[in-house]
Amino acid sequence: MRTNAMPRARVRRRALLAGALGVFTAAAALVAPSQAAAAESTLGAAAAQSGRYFGAAIASGRLNDSVYTTIANREFNSVTAENEMKIDATEPQRGQFNFSAADRIYNWAVQNGKEVRGHTLAWHSQQPDWMRNLSGGALRQAMIDHINGVMAHYRGKIVQWDVVNEAFEDGNSGARRDSNLQRTGNDWIEVAFHTARAADPSAKLCYNDYNVENWNWAKTQAMYNMVRDFKQRGVPIDCVGFQSHFNSGSPYNSNFRTTLQNFAALGVDVAITELDIQGASPTTYANVVNDCLAVSRCLGITVWGVRDTDSWRSEQTPLLFDGNGNKKSAYTSVLNALNGGTTPNPPEDEGTIRGVDSGRCIDVPNASTSDGTQVQLYDCHGGTNQQWTPTDAGELRVYGNKCLDAAGTGNGARVQIYSCWGGDNQKWRLNSDGSIVGVQSGLCLDAAGSGNGAAIQLYSCWNGGNQRWTLT
């Protein structure tokens, strides 16, 4: 963790755009009654039907909470220690290992029939002070000794280890992160994997990272090139973990399945290791599950926490259970996806997008279908040129095949219709304050006036009523 369906009936509704992934995707994917009749009733059991696991990150300090443990024991068949197997927890003093908290989680999991993932052995973060004060050969040896010490304690008991965590930097460089471990030499990652293989030949050895789910991102490509190189040279890597912390800054993209497939084609297993989704969109949760189900080498899914209040991002309500332990709509969509194994259709809801200030709707002038036609405000009349359909990819479509499209990235850039092609200038984040923000630009959908014909443009977000919208 970085401390960073089946077709459904068309629904008409009026609501302030809600949730960072949008009220447009708020209804859970459904399965046919015949599927539900034969379905498993818990996440772990449903995942096991396809030979996969559905797990959760568990904190030792919460194992005295009966609501927490009841849900965890009932629903999940895999466990990852949230923090208790990290470096600072297991080796607080050099050469002096402490497994008390980690063992508490491991023993609870095994006593309740669950497998355990190990997280994590070599990482630039959550290092104890003694390790942060080392460098060069001394640090390299300390890393090797730590891997050997932890894996010896759990030899033959852990099914997967996140051997190395988060070694690539964010952004578009595709470079390695400038960490103390990286400064010991570029081969430190492969040394960690060779050490881990010798320490426990039976465990699957994984590389784990975040913001690597979108196939088009430089960080994803850099990780892919590393894994391909390792496989070609015989470095013992068995799997790749995709943390999948989806949020407004790093949204789910439908090419995640392509990412999983491409890594699996290299000859490694893949796993979704730390899943949480800002706003807990049921559709997005179902899509992620179906992406895993579509890739035969996807081992399973782990959500990063049990209830929203247990999450490291609790303010984003990103998990499957609310703070009281109640199942959320996202839970149902995940269970249905695990039981049915089908990909839900894009949302069929459509409606007008009405300006809060003006009361007028986003309209394609003269019902034009020509690429490049700038949209405007106009009196709402419900015509097809005012009917917008959101998709799981983040598009807003009109006429079925034209997308709301930003013609630039600066203040005043025109917003137009254009044939849908999947670019980030055609993707939008729908926020709880009613704003609609361009994924590419980070600017808000803005009405340049309030009367009929007022142009729709991009502009810096300032929370004005001309930048807030409702769906009818």
Side-chain angles (χ1 to χ4, degrees):
M1 182 187 73
R2 183 170 189 260
T3 55
N4 148 40
M6 301 293 289
R8 53 186 170 82
R10 192 179 302 275
V11 178
R12 298 281 184 182
R13 59 186 182 269
R14 169 184 238 160
L16 187 69
L17 296 173
L21 298 178
V23 73
F24 297 141
T25 58
L30 303 178
V31 294
S34 59
Q35 286 179 306
E40 294 288 352
S41 60
T42 65
L43 301 173
Q49 295 176 115
S50 63
R52 293 170 173 83
Y53 62 82
F54 201 97
I58 297 297
S60 63
R62 293 191 173 96
L63 290 178
N64 291 327
D65 181 335
S66 61
V67 175
Y68 180 90
T69 54
T70 296
I71 295 170
N73 190 28
R74 181 187 71 223
E75 295 291 341
F76 305 113
N77 58 355
S78 174
V79 162
T80 302
E82 187 170 354
N83 289 293
E84 291 80 355
M85 290 188 184
K86 292 175 181 174
I87 308 167
D88 56 352
T90 52
E91 194 178 359
Q93 301 296 326
R94 187 169 188 179
Q96 297 178 18
F97 291 89
N98 184 340
F99 297 106
S100 57
D103 282 351
R104 187 179 186 205
I105 292 175
Y106 175 83
N107 291 335
W108 180 88
V110 171
Q111 289 164 9
N112 289 287
K114 305 176 194 313
E115 64 181 39
V116 180
R117 295 190 73 255
H119 176 80
T120 180
L121 295 168
W123 189 26
H124 70 276
S125 185
Q126 290 186 240
Q127 295 178 3
D129 289 342
W130 68 264
M131 181 175 280
R132 286 199 298 270
N133 291 328
L134 297 178
S135 61
L139 177 59
R140 175 69 67 89
Q141 189 60 51
M143 178 193 76
I144 292 170
D145 293 343
H146 178 78
I147 293 171
N148 281 326
V150 174
M151 294 191 77
H153 182 78
Y154 290 110
R155 184 181 173 96
K157 299 177 179 179
I158 302 291
V159 295
Q160 299 172 41
W161 269 109
D162 290 333
V163 177
V164 174
N165 200 45
E166 300 175 1
F168 288 91
E169 70 176 25
D170 291 320
N172 298 320
S173 72
R176 293 277 187 90
R177 183 188 297 275
D178 181 25
S179 69
N180 60 349
L181 292 169
Q182 178 65 27
R183 290 191 293 272
T184 70
N186 202 54
D187 64 339
W188 74 275
I189 298 178
E190 57 192 276
V191 168
F193 275 92
H194 282 296
T195 304
R197 173 65 84 229
D200 188 350
S202 66
K204 284 185 181 290
L205 307 181
C206 307
Y207 175 80
N208 190 56
D209 217 324
Y210 68 97
N211 283 356
V212 288
E213 294 77 22
N214 188 320
W215 177 245
N216 297 321
W217 285 355
K219 189 174 181 181
T220 310
Q221 292 299 308
M223 183 174 76
Y224 177 85
N225 290 334
M226 180 190 74
V227 174
R228 180 175 59 187
D229 173 60
F230 281 7
K231 293 299 291 184
Q232 290 172 344
R233 293 193 294 111
V235 177
I237 184 170
D238 302 312
C239 51
V240 177
F242 298 82
Q243 293 185 16
S244 305
H245 297 296
F246 294 117
N247 54 67
S248 56
S250 180
Y252 168 82
N253 188 290
S254 59
N255 70 24
F256 185 32
R257 185 175 302 187
T258 299
T259 303
L260 296 175
Q261 290 169 332
N262 287 343
F263 275 87
L266 293 175
V268 293
D269 293 326
V270 293
I272 297 167
T273 55
E274 303 183 20
L275 178 63
D276 48 32
I277 299 173
Q278 183 176 357
S281 162
T283 302
T284 305
Y285 258 111
N287 286 340
V288 173
V289 171
N290 281 307
D291 290 341
C292 178
L293 292 174
V295 179
S296 61
R297 296 198 72 150
C298 184
L299 300 170
I301 298 170
T302 299
V303 287
W304 205 248
V306 176
R307 304 162 298 191
D308 284 337
T309 46
D310 306 316
S311 170
W312 67 302
R313 288 177 163 170
S314 58
E315 74 284 356
Q316 296 180 1
T317 60
L319 295 176
L320 302 178
F321 295 86
D322 67 22
N324 294 317
N326 299 310
K327 298 173 183 177
K328 296 161 62 175
S329 296
Y331 171 93
T332 304
S333 72
V334 167
L335 185 63
N336 288 342
L338 290 169
N339 279 319
T342 57
T343 302
N345 290 338
E348 295 185 33
D349 302 355
E350 67 177 23
T352 57
I353 302 174
R354 186 187 298 261
V356 169
D357 257 5
S358 65
R360 292 187 166 90
C361 287
I362 295 181
D363 172 284
V364 184
N366 304 312
S368 171
T369 59
S370 298
D371 285 349
T373 302
Q374 187 170 14
V375 295
Q376 63 179 10
L377 286 182
Y378 208 83
D379 292 333
C380 300
H381 54 69
T384 57
N385 63 324
Q386 293 185 349
Q387 296 294 321
W388 300 91
T389 302
T391 73
D392 290 338
E395 303 160 328
L396 288 167
R397 293 193 175 215
V398 66
Y399 311 134
N401 64 348
K402 300 290 182 180
C403 278
L404 194 68
D405 175 289
T409 57
N411 283 339
R414 61 192 283 123
V415 176
Q416 59 191 11
I417 61 166
Y418 208 89
S419 298
C420 300
W421 66 281
D424 283 350
N425 68 315
Q426 295 186 343
K427 295 175 183 175
W428 307 88
R429 295 197 301 268
L430 313 175
N431 298 316
S432 59
D433 61 0
S435 63
I436 300 177
V437 176
V439 167
Q440 183 185 62
S441 66
L443 301 180
C444 275
L445 200 66
D446 176 287
S450 59
N452 281 337
I456 305 300
Q457 60 184 6
L458 291 181
Y459 210 83
S460 298
C461 301
W462 66 283
N463 201 35
N466 68 319
Q467 293 185 344
R468 290 186 291 122
W469 308 90
T470 60
L471 172 69
T472 304

